[in-house]
Amino acid sequence: KSENSAPTGEVFQKGDLTLVNEDASVYLKKLPPESFHLVLTSPPYNCNINYKGYNDNLPHDHYEEILKTVFQECFRLLVKGGRLVVVVPTVVVWNNKRTLYPVFIHNLIESLGFNFRDFVTWVKALSEKEAIGVAGRSTAWGSYRKASSPYTRPISEVIVVYEKEGKLQTNGELIDENVFKKATMNVWFIQQKKTTDHPASFPEDLAERVIRLYTEKGMHVLDPFAGTSSTLIAAFKTGRKATGIEISRYYFNESKRRLIDALNRGTALF
């Protein structure tokens, strides 16, 4: 089979990391309930992004049904008080119409029984000056220097946080003070470093911040749309267990290479 063919069900497992080449809407149903403390992910946006081995242009009803199935399973798999953290764009274009994606995903996730907890704006730069440089890579500004039809250029995404009813059972482990102060602001300045050829990945630094804020060492993290496994690598670096599911054979193989490289670079950096 080619790397762009259907998922094979292959499982890569090493230490506390598990990566599965499978459709999350199918595979999650095989996992036992209340076995994860955090779900951190970024779903496909269904706006015709050029993924390798995945069609990002599904009929909208079909797309919505897939997300409902996956996030309903996430609800079942989370412990009481467990968190669901989803990284999404602000605006997508569906049927030639600009749509606020956070509103769509919020309505879908709340309908499944999750409680809304928090909202963070992720700026893909460390400062406004750098952000202008990031925006400069895009020319999607509509009318240039004219009021007739300007649009803003995206240099940010949104991180929405939900939780399952109940209190998360913890050991009282203290979070590093600097990490905690940065993580509890509702704007995060984290560079989008391009380390893979995945067109819509979030950086390991972002995943690490989420994981340190919402879990303790030894807890279990799930990413049902694993991409190139930023979540799993960040979990390894912080001493957490992690399971990732990736439908694309191509990105599964790239994830394997990245995970092996991370594991070979040394032990977890607590």
Side-chain angles (χ1 to χ4, degrees):
K1 290 184 177 182
S2 75
E3 287 196 320
N4 287 335
S5 61
T8 64
E10 181 184 343
V11 177
F12 171 81
Q13 202 277 326
K14 194 151 187 176
D16 289 329
L17 301 180
T18 303
L19 178 68
V20 186
N21 180 213
E22 190 55 273
D23 181 337
S25 65
V26 175
Y27 185 79
L28 292 177
K29 294 175 181 176
K30 302 175 184 178
L31 299 176
E34 299 193 1
S35 49
F36 294 91
H37 301 86
L38 169 68
V39 178
L40 168 58
T41 197
S42 181
Y45 311 143
N46 208 42
C47 50
N48 210 21
I49 292 175
N50 187 27
Y51 294 111
K52 295 178 179 177
Y54 173 76
N55 174 21
D56 192 45
N57 192 22
L58 300 172
H60 187 81
D61 289 351
H62 182 202
Y63 168 70
E64 190 169 343
E65 199 55 45
I66 290 170
L67 293 192
K68 278 185 177 177
T69 300
V70 169
F71 289 128
Q72 184 70 72
E73 284 302 307
C74 290
F75 186 89
R76 182 182 68 85
L77 293 169
L78 279 169
V79 299
K80 290 180 175 63
R83 282 70 180 249
L84 167 65
V85 180
V86 188
V87 184
V88 298
T90 49
V91 176
V92 294
V93 178
W94 286 337
N95 297 322
N96 297 315
K97 185 178 179 182
R98 286 166 64 85
T99 302
L100 265 175
Y101 192 93
V103 173
F104 160 77
I105 203 72
H106 172 75
N107 290 338
L108 186 148
I109 290 172
E110 269 209 330
S111 75
L112 302 174
F114 283 98
N115 295 328
F116 172 72
R117 182 180 180 89
D118 242 322
F119 180 102
V120 175
T121 299
W122 163 38
V123 179
K124 302 178 183 182
L126 299 180
S127 66
E128 184 178 27
K129 183 178 179 182
E130 185 185 331
I132 291 170
V134 171
R137 298 171 200 160
S138 166
T139 55
W141 45 44
S143 59
Y144 182 58
R145 298 174 62 192
K146 296 177 182 176
S148 56
S149 184
Y151 288 104
T152 58
R153 292 170 291 155
I155 54 112
S156 66
E157 291 193 12
V158 169
I159 303 165
V160 280
V161 183
Y162 299 86
E163 64 186 355
K164 186 173 177 177
E165 193 74 39
K167 186 172 177 59
L168 184 68
Q169 298 299 308
T170 65
N171 297 319
E173 181 183 303
L174 290 177
I175 303 168
D176 175 87
E177 187 176 5
N178 288 332
V179 170
F180 184 77
K181 285 181 176 178
K182 285 183 178 180
T184 51
M185 294 192 300
N186 70 353
V187 178
W188 292 1
F189 296 89
I190 299 176
Q191 290 171 310
Q192 172 69 296
K193 298 169 186 171
K194 200 65 181 166
T195 55
T196 75
D197 67 352
H198 192 285
S201 61
F202 51 76
E204 291 163 33
D205 288 350
L206 184 150
E208 191 172 326
R209 188 176 291 185
V210 170
I211 289 167
R212 288 189 187 277
L213 182 62
Y214 291 121
T215 64
E216 295 181 336
K217 293 185 191 77
M219 287 186 172
H220 204 166
V221 181
L222 171 67
D223 189 342
F225 302 105
T228 49
S229 288
S230 295
T231 298
L232 274 70
I233 292 170
F236 168 69
K237 286 181 178 179
T238 55
R240 276 71 166 168
K241 304 170 189 173
T243 298
I245 304 158
E246 175 50 46
I247 193 170
S248 161
R249 181 72 176 159
Y250 179 88
Y251 297 122
F252 172 81
N253 284 331
E254 185 167 344
S255 282
K256 273 202 305 186
R257 290 190 287 271
R258 279 166 46 78
L259 290 170
I260 290 166
D261 181 56
L263 289 160
N264 288 341
R265 283 201 302 269
T267 54
L269 308 172
F270 297 164

